């Protein structure tokens, strides 16, 4: 089952305590697609400038990502410059140049309007709504957002959430969105607005999934070497939705295994700059880390 | 199998966004003992002032905690005044009055010097060492510490760690102790100093246990109502070591079940001020939440 993702493709310049990635390929749709491509066919809708060459497309194309919706506009590609301190949780944004992304109006190719699984990566909620209007055939709609839109367009965001089944969001963002510091209460509130499944991403602390009345908590994989956390949330979403697409949408969503798969992809994402580790992943490596998650979290009943 | 704990007994005045506990019974040894008492016989060594009455002793005595090492000195009991903001992670300390605790020299009753399991709660590492010198019969030695001692007595603390099998410590504290932001590396470093098992307490994010080469990660129980986080780490330690004592020390330490039991006790601890929730716990409630932890964290293999 195919996934359609609409989001950003960018050039990132990232400094961490362990090195620098200069003008590496970034963007939410990019990292999502790369991770999801191991699990399901991916269709990518985004805009780049004429500085985004064949060479830049190649890693995604090699992973089978369909770039038929990647539009090239005149001008420069979106740029982000950020830096992480030792705690590696939140980057400081040093510079953002929207460039061609400023005028982005997502146009979904006619043949893609019945894609069953739609992921609205973090862009303007008004644009996310316009995408939804076009993809009439979507059966599962998932969305991400960020503090910028919660601040500047709370009404548009809430209107969008009424149409979304599955929300992926950071812990800080869901607290901001709801004004509720307790994550259990905050998630219940957001569920009352529309999405029946909330995935709260907590960075190095893992994820909390609220799926109807059930809760599932998964720690992040404890890594010795984290090189660059950029794109971890997007790789998580790619693995999470990629797994759901691979399983099909005819029975209950298997959000537990999906969350482990997402965490596996995210744990590899942070081991290198850009998608350099994820793009080279093998199936034995993916399965091995999935098994390690089982061991990491396994609890026996009381004797 | 009995546990001997040496630490503080105090009166706490705590303000949280949900209320105030004024001059409630606090202290590391108190909360530890209350939680551990469900699992094993507990012997408590601490000092209080003459304002700590029979009525204050009653809750611990009713739970069967042996108060034969609770010395009453002339003067006032240790006082702590703190406040939590909405994030409930770290309290602001508004006032600390050591009072009789300033001159505390732990004297272990003769009959207790062969207690098999010894918990050195968070006190001056020099005093922790003096306790160790007295409890010659201890077979399992566990310790806690805090940022204040890491700052002021790093040498004494490192000397103590050489003699400790099991260290319980906060994530921020182990980073400070080692100068290493990565928890996997920080724990490996501390293990090279002595303790073979490190339990990293991460507050609302749960615990990470490094036991030899194995890692175990457990999220905290997602609660809708957290009233007061004070003593959560001590109740965790009480459940963790209480369970180990109940199982006996003749085989490998079952640190996974112990960590779940600790998390169960901590999750109840934060539902009320002081030990008001824990002291009223029933076995069905304890077993029920243990089962909920299994469900919360359960991961199936890939199909």
């Amino acid at each position: 089952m195919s996934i359609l993702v609409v989001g950003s493709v960018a050039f990132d310049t990232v400094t961490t305590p362990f090195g620098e990635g200069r003008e590496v390929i970034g963007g939410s749709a990019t990292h999502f697609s790369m991770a999801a491509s191991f699990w399901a066919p991916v269709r990518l809708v985004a805009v780049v400038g004429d500085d985004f060459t064949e060479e830049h497309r190649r890693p995604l194309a090699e992973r089978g990502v369909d770039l038929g919706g990647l539009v090239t506009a005149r001008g420069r590609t979106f740029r982000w410059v950020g830096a992480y301190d030792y705690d590696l949780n939140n980057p400081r944004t040093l510079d953002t140049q929207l460039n061609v992304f400023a005028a982005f109006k997502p146009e979904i190719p006619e043949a893609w309007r019945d894609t069953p699984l739609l992921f609205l990566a973090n862009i303007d909620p008004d644009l996310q709504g316009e995408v939804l209007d076009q993809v009439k055939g979507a059966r599962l709609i998932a969305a991400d957002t960020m503090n910028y839109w919660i601040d500047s367009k709370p009404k548009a965001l809430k209107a969008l959430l009424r149409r979304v089944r599955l929300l992926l969001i950071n812990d800080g963002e869901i607290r901001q969105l709801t004004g509720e510091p307790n994550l259990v209460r905050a998630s219940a509130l957001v569920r009352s607005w529309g999405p029946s499944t909330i995935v709260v991403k907590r960075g190095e602390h893992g994820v909390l999934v609220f799926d109807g009345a059930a809760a599932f908590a998964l720690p992040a994989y404890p890594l010795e070497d984290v090189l660059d956390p950029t794109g971890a949330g997007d790789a998580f979403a790619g693995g999470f939705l990629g797994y759901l697409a691979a399983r099909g949408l005819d029975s209950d969503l298997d959000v537990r295994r999906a969350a482990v798969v997402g965490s596996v992809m995210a744990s590899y994402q942070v081991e290198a700059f850009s998608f350099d580790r994820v793009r080279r992943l093998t199936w034995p490596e993916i399965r091995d880390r999935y098994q390690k998650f089982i061991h990491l979290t396994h609890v026996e009943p009381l004797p």
Side-chain angles (χ1 to χ4, degrees), chain A:
Chain A
M1 180 176 291
S2 292
I3 306 180
L4 174 59
V5 54
V6 183
S8 62
V9 172
F11 287 118
D12 288 348
T13 294
V14 186
T15 311
T16 80
F18 316 107
E20 189 195 43
R22 178 172 289 277
E23 298 262 306
V24 298
I25 303 177
S28 59
T30 312
H31 294 309
F32 175 90
S33 298
M34 187 59 86
S37 71
F38 286 84
W39 299 90
V42 180
R43 297 164 170 174
L44 187 155
V45 173
V47 63
V48 290
D50 40 31
D51 52 355
F52 199 88
T53 65
E54 272 311 304
E55 195 193 332
H56 298 120
R57 288 166 176 258
R58 193 171 303 133
L60 290 163
E62 279 177 358
R63 288 278 337 134
V65 176
D66 192 333
L67 302 177
L70 183 61
V71 175
T72 304
R74 288 197 67 163
R76 277 161 62 81
T77 299
F78 180 25
R79 251 95 176 158
W80 178 73
V81 182
Y84 293 85
D85 296 325
Y86 267 102
D87 80 355
L88 292 173
N89 277 326
N90 294 302
R92 281 172 293 122
T93 290
L94 303 176
D95 192 21
T96 303
Q97 301 165 21
L98 290 178
N99 299 330
V100 296
F101 200 68
F104 181 41
K105 280 276 175 191
E107 280 269 345
I108 311 304
E110 196 59 42
W112 290 7
R113 297 189 175 201
D114 61 351
T115 311
L117 207 162
L118 172 62
F119 181 56
L120 302 163
N122 162 39
I123 56 173
D124 183 330
D126 284 325
L127 294 186
Q128 290 176 312
E130 289 173 26
V131 170
L132 256 183
D133 293 338
Q134 296 175 60
V135 189
K136 299 235 185 275
R139 292 168 53 204
L140 178 63
I141 295 156
D144 194 353
T145 190
M146 73 179 290
N147 46 11
Y148 181 78
W149 306 118
I150 296 170
D151 256 352
S152 60
K153 293 200 169 185
K155 271 193 178 169
L157 183 56
K158 272 180 128 177
L160 178 82
L161 290 182
R162 280 199 288 274
R163 307 168 68 190
V164 164
R165 159 80 185 272
L166 208 154
L167 177 67
L168 297 110
I169 190 166
N170 288 345
D171 47 0
E173 290 163 358
I174 195 169
R175 287 176 165 130
Q176 184 188 353
L177 176 64
T178 57
E180 168 58 60
N182 181 286
L183 294 179
V184 181
R185 288 170 180 276
S187 299
L189 187 53
V190 174
R191 284 197 290 120
S192 77
W193 298 343
S196 60
T197 304
I198 314 284
V199 181
V200 182
K201 299 179 287 180
R202 302 199 282 181
E204 64 163 334
H205 300 298
V207 293
L208 256 175
V209 182
F210 297 96
D211 183 41
F216 174 53
L218 190 73
Y221 191 76
L223 287 166
E224 213 164 313
D225 292 294
V226 176
L227 213 63
D228 173 18
T230 308
D234 305 311
F236 174 88
F240 186 89
L241 296 177
Y243 179 78
L244 293 182
R247 286 301 294 275
L249 303 176
D250 290 328
S251 52
D252 280 354
L253 296 184
D254 185 358
V255 294
R256 284 176 180 253
R257 285 195 183 96
V260 182
V261 169
S263 302
V264 166
M265 304 311 283
S267 74
Y268 281 120
Q269 172 75 19
V270 304
E271 288 187 358
F273 284 93
S274 185
F275 44 50
D276 286 0
R277 181 71 183 94
V278 172
R279 71 183 284 204
R280 284 192 298 270
L281 274 178
T282 64
W283 278 103
E285 287 172 333
I286 292 172
R287 278 192 292 264
D288 173 67
R289 192 155 288 175
Y290 190 105
Q291 277 305 117
K292 290 212 167 84
F293 262 101
I294 291 183
H295 188 69
L296 177 71
T297 60
H298 181 68
V299 176
E300 293 280 346
L302 279 174

